[in-house]
Amino acid sequence: MRKNIVLLLFAIILISLCSCELSMEKPKQGKVHILVYGNDYRYMPSGHLNDTVNDAVQVGMALSKLCEKQQVSYSAKYIYGMDNSYDAEVSSLPNSEISHNLTYDYLMESMENLTTGKNAANEGDLTFIFFSGHGFSDYPDKKYMAEYGADISSKGYFLTRKAELSNESIRVQISVLIEKINAIPGAKVVFSDFCFSGAFVQAGYVSVTGNEYSSMDATELFGLRSKICESSSSFYLSASRYYEKSWEQVSSVGNHGYFTKALLDAFGWDESSRTIKTGGAYKDGRITFLDVANYTMNNDNESRQNPMYSGGSNDIILFSF
């Protein structure tokens, strides 16, 4: 008898819980925010880059078209070099803004606007940020590799213009960019195509199986791993490790960095038709961060660079169709 009562109570509780779950409304879909920055350093002594503007514009358009395909509200800001041949095409996309102001102050302002501006992101939103340009590092090659678990974000730099009409530049610490990114509400996904961009990724996060750590035993690795601080809402995918350069390629359609070309292929972006097709990261009707990362790492076709990724304790769905 007592056993039957217990079973009855369990059934009542189970039905009650199921009823509550079934009665819950489907959560509202958040907005997507897109910020792309492509600096070609034209008229600057830092060295002109041929593909960075095209990289930024194509990534921005691909993300915008994915938003339209998913039928989710979005806004996009394009910050890129002096080349204005893309302006008319980008302006034709809804909720898109263009600027050729490549200064440090404007980049900081653009990220801060995602935190506190009138169009700031909310907790349920998703923000994409893409960087393309010159990068520098205090670890310029394998001879200067950081110890496992070291915070290398303050040792890597992204190059911006100092003033709008100046040919001087400013090296921005990656740690400064990370601080700005982490302050944005909601989930953040950052793609970076510049030399030493792995400074966005803590040195040990994905390098634990790398040759540089093969001599360390599991106990030591576990202890160091606990020292690495990660934001559960920020996801990073970089073109190269923190001690590697990234490289540009020439294709029949348009010039890109090797990393960005693989990234666009992961999204299914067809550059010639400006449409979304089935991409390498498309699985079961959705695109996730890890699928994008895995596809990009395996298809960038440049052995001199090795993409890195980190972020969150779980994967994140970027688009679902």
Side-chain angles (χ1 to χ4, degrees):
M1 181 69 177
R2 179 174 302 203
K3 181 179 179 180
N4 291 336
I5 293 174
V6 171
L7 289 173
L8 179 61
L9 288 173
F10 177 77
I12 291 172
I13 293 171
L14 183 61
I15 292 171
S16 175
L17 289 174
C18 291
S19 299
C20 291
E21 184 176 345
L22 292 174
S23 66
M24 290 175 62
E25 293 184 7
K26 185 178 178 180
K28 293 181 179 179
Q29 191 172 37
K31 183 178 180 180
V32 173
H33 307 265
I34 302 166
L35 173 62
V36 297
Y37 179 101
N39 199 333
D40 56 6
Y41 307 97
R42 190 170 294 181
Y43 313 122
M44 295 179 67
S46 309
H48 179 229
L49 292 173
N50 295 317
D51 304 337
T52 50
V53 170
N54 191 45
D55 283 349
V57 171
Q58 299 300 328
V59 169
M61 288 196 292
L63 291 170
S64 297
K65 291 294 184 180
L66 283 165
C67 290
E68 293 176 9
K69 182 178 175 67
Q70 185 178 308
Q71 298 183 324
V72 61
S73 175
Y74 75 93
S75 64
K77 173 174 275 191
Y78 295 74
I79 307 172
Y80 55 86
M82 305 278 183
D83 185 353
N84 60 8
S85 60
Y86 299 95
D87 288 5
E89 184 177 13
V90 172
S91 296
S92 68
L93 294 168
N95 306 313
S96 295
E97 178 185 346
I98 301 169
S99 175
H100 300 289
N101 183 347
L102 295 163
T103 63
Y104 166 82
D105 287 340
Y106 191 73
L107 177 59
M108 294 297 106
E109 176 188 326
S110 298
M111 288 195 288
E112 288 168 2
N113 284 339
L114 290 168
T115 304
T116 58
K118 64 178 181 179
N119 295 318
N122 295 311
E123 285 300 331
D125 292 353
L126 173 61
T127 297
F128 290 99
I129 300 178
F130 175 82
F131 296 100
S132 185
H134 275 310
F136 297 89
S137 175
D138 292 342
Y139 302 106
D141 56 51
K142 272 193 171 186
K143 292 186 297 184
Y144 303 96
M145 285 190 303
E147 292 185 2
Y148 181 87
D151 180 3
I152 53 170
S153 61
S154 62
K155 304 295 184 180
Y157 310 89
F158 184 64
L159 199 67
T160 64
R161 188 182 288 272
K162 184 175 182 179
E164 200 163 356
L165 299 178
S166 170
N167 61 3
E168 295 183 73
S169 57
I170 292 180
R171 291 191 181 191
V172 187
Q173 283 184 327
I174 301 302
S175 57
V176 172
L177 295 175
I178 290 175
E179 183 179 356
K180 294 292 184 183
I181 291 164
N182 286 343
I184 299 170
K188 287 79 63 175
V189 177
V190 181
F191 304 113
S192 52
D193 193 352
F194 57 88
C195 293
F196 314 112
S197 54
F200 272 116
V201 180
Q202 296 302 316
Y205 189 79
V206 295
S207 304
V208 62
T209 58
N211 293 331
E212 63 266 37
Y213 304 124
S214 60
S215 61
M216 302 182 75
D217 62 37
T219 304
E220 189 175 4
L221 289 173
F222 181 81
L224 288 170
R225 180 71 184 84
S226 64
K227 297 179 182 178
I228 300 174
C229 179
E230 296 155 346
S231 169
S232 61
S233 63
S234 297
F235 297 78
Y236 297 94
L237 175 59
S238 68
S240 59
R241 291 176 181 254
Y242 63 94
Y243 53 80
E244 294 175 335
K245 294 181 178 180
S246 62
W247 303 88
E248 296 181 329
Q249 67 168 17
V250 178
S251 71
S252 58
V253 179
N255 296 343
H256 287 293
Y258 282 94
F259 169 83
T260 299
K261 180 62 170 65
L263 179 66
L264 292 169
D265 289 343
F267 290 148
W269 179 241
D270 185 85
E271 192 168 342
S272 58
S273 65
R274 301 294 202 257
T275 58
I276 294 293
K277 298 186 177 180
T278 301
Y282 185 92
K283 294 180 181 178
D284 301 322
R286 64 189 185 185
I287 297 173
T288 72
F289 173 76
L290 285 182
D291 284 333
V292 170
N294 288 328
Y295 181 89
T296 303
M297 288 189 298
N298 292 324
N299 293 277
D300 75 335
N301 298 320
E302 175 48 71
S303 60
R304 292 174 293 179
Q305 65 186 48
N306 294 278
M308 302 176 71
Y309 71 89
S310 72
S313 56
N314 299 300
D315 198 2
I316 181 174
I317 297 175
L318 305 180
F319 297 99
S320 181
F321 312 108

